[in-house]
Amino acid sequence: MSGCFCVCSFVSEILETQHHSAICLSGLSGGGKSILFYQKSKIKPVHVVDVPGHAGLKPKLDEVLPQAAGIVFAVDAQDFLSTMQVVAEYLYDILTKATVVKKRIHVLIFCNKTDKVTAHSKEFIKKQLEKEINKLRESRKDISSADTTDEVKLRNPGETFYFSQCQNRVTVAGGAGLTGNVSAVEQFIREYVKA
């Protein structure tokens, strides 16, 4: 629990600075967010906020989004199939947040651990996430608007969903945080964070 306290304290420190060019690291626990957080020293000075992947701490994301210039959503490419539905739900929740859509916050889906032999490719992960998000759109279209006050719809429910249809830019890249292969994250930060 002390690790959780440290991360939450760090989130509070970032929010107090009111810096509007933070990068938010998000995704499920085990996806590689913390490894990416420690790789940030390779990148130009930037505020990086590691939002815990534990379900009870996901609301912390809402506190960080107003300062976010971008979101790096880490996905475990090696363990993807067993977590695919939960990953898609979390990503759907991010992509439909009014703050993300209105501010056009760019999202990088970083498929981590692609150096492992049993890892899935970024192309496979992208296609599967698009299919799962399409299912979520269909299943959630009947939820009353009172339950989705902070949610923006992802295109027309009758159309097949693709990330390219999002109002904000969503890209997919692969790499391996443990080996330092995070060039896609470095490029994302260079492109979207103002010095």
Side-chain angles (χ1 to χ4, degrees):
M1 190 68 178
S2 63
C4 171
F5 175 75
C6 290
V7 171
C8 291
S9 295
F10 181 71
V11 168
S12 296
E13 288 174 28
I14 293 298
L15 294 177
E16 288 171 12
T17 65
Q18 293 297 312
H19 200 278
H20 294 280
S21 60
I23 289 293
C24 175
L25 295 177
S26 192
L28 299 183
S29 295
K33 296 179 312 297
S34 296
I35 292 292
L36 291 174
F37 178 79
Y38 291 109
Q39 293 286 343
K40 75 176 183 156
S41 61
K42 294 177 161 184
I43 308 165
K44 72 179 182 178
V46 62
H47 292 286
V48 176
V49 182
D50 182 354
V51 178
H54 186 274
L57 296 172
K58 286 181 190 173
K60 287 287 177 193
L61 181 65
D62 292 329
E63 295 176 24
V64 175
L65 287 177
Q67 289 79 30
I71 299 169
V72 176
F73 187 83
V75 175
D76 185 338
Q78 190 174 19
D79 194 33
F80 176 68
L81 287 179
S82 66
T83 61
M84 178 174 63
Q85 288 180 317
V86 180
V87 168
E89 287 174 12
Y90 192 8
L91 184 57
Y92 177 90
D93 291 341
I94 289 172
L95 294 175
T96 58
K97 285 194 176 293
T99 305
V100 173
V101 175
K102 287 177 186 170
K103 286 185 62 187
R104 294 186 186 263
I105 298 173
H106 300 285
V107 178
L108 170 65
I109 301 168
F110 183 71
C111 304
N112 194 24
K113 306 179 189 177
T114 56
D115 59 326
K116 305 293 183 189
V117 175
T118 56
H120 297 282
S121 71
K122 67 179 185 176
E123 293 82 10
F124 175 81
I125 291 171
K126 178 184 177 192
K127 285 181 183 176
Q128 295 306 311
L129 285 174
E130 287 173 334
K131 286 179 186 177
E132 288 297 315
I133 288 173
N134 199 51
K135 289 179 196 174
L136 285 167
R137 275 187 335 154
E138 293 298 323
S139 66
R140 292 187 183 186
K141 71 180 177 186
D142 296 328
I143 295 175
S144 78
S145 59
D147 295 334
T148 58
T149 54
D150 186 42
E151 189 175 296
V152 175
K153 300 222 182 297
L154 291 175
R155 292 290 186 177
N156 298 325
E159 298 175 11
T160 302
F161 172 79
Y162 297 103
F163 289 120
S164 60
Q165 298 168 337
C166 292
Q167 292 180 37
N168 53 322
R169 185 170 177 210
V170 178
T171 55
V172 182
L178 272 178
T179 63
N181 179 5
V182 293
S183 60
V185 176
E186 294 169 7
Q187 178 60 37
F188 180 78
I189 291 173
R190 276 190 215 98
E191 192 170 340
Y192 295 111
V193 175
K194 309 293 183 260

